[in-house]
Amino acid sequence: KMIQLTQRAATHVQQMLNKRGHGTGFRLATPKAGCSGFSYKVDYVDLQNAEDVIFESFGIKIVVDSESLPNLDGTEIDYVAINATDQGFEFHNPNVQNICGCGESFMLGEVEKDVRTIP
């Protein structure tokens, strides 16, 4: 399996990288957080680590640390902009079983599809 961006998400990431002026891609991780166990963390990539796994989608490098990879395998990342203040990445992660009530974290398991929005 792999991790991929939609065209919309890739366009947004490329615009952010261009605006920033440097960086080689998009880092995605799942640190332990919240009441359900894990959260999504998105950042720029300036340096890659030896244990990183790299995917490419629409010309954008997606860098994932080896510890987060099992939590993200098969994930598709979209970028949704409803209006100027309500926009962010949307994660379609087949590994998520449940999302906590506050929407800040998720629990892993096996389900068909789940959506999580990060501003």
Side-chain angles (χ1 to χ4, degrees):
K1 289 188 181 182
M2 62 182 295
I3 298 166
Q4 61 187 8
L5 301 170
T6 63
Q7 178 68 59
R8 225 180 1 230
T11 299
H12 177 74
V13 171
Q14 188 61 62
Q15 289 170 345
M16 297 308 293
L17 287 170
N18 291 346
K19 184 177 180 180
R20 185 173 186 243
H22 66 283
T24 61
F26 174 83
R27 181 176 293 282
L28 181 59
T30 56
K32 290 187 177 191
C35 45
S36 289
F38 296 94
S39 66
Y40 295 107
K41 181 179 179 187
V42 175
D43 204 352
Y44 296 106
V45 176
D46 290 320
L47 298 172
Q48 296 170 9
N49 302 316
E51 67 275 1
D52 286 340
V53 179
I54 301 167
F55 300 91
E56 189 168 323
S57 185
F58 295 101
I60 301 294
K61 285 184 184 178
I62 306 165
V63 179
V64 179
D65 64 88
S66 57
E67 192 174 311
S68 295
L69 185 59
N71 303 344
L72 295 165
D73 196 20
T75 297
E76 180 185 62
I77 305 155
D78 195 6
Y79 185 77
V80 178
I82 296 169
N83 58 45
T85 59
D86 192 8
Q87 51 190 306
F89 291 106
E90 197 170 80
F91 299 89
H92 302 269
N93 184 342
N95 305 300
V96 172
Q97 181 179 12
N98 199 2
I99 297 175
C100 72
C102 64
E104 292 298 317
S105 62
F106 60 90
M107 185 183 317
L108 296 171
E110 293 182 13
V111 293
E112 290 293 314
K113 190 175 187 181
D114 185 62
V115 176
R116 168 79 168 96
T117 300
I118 299 283

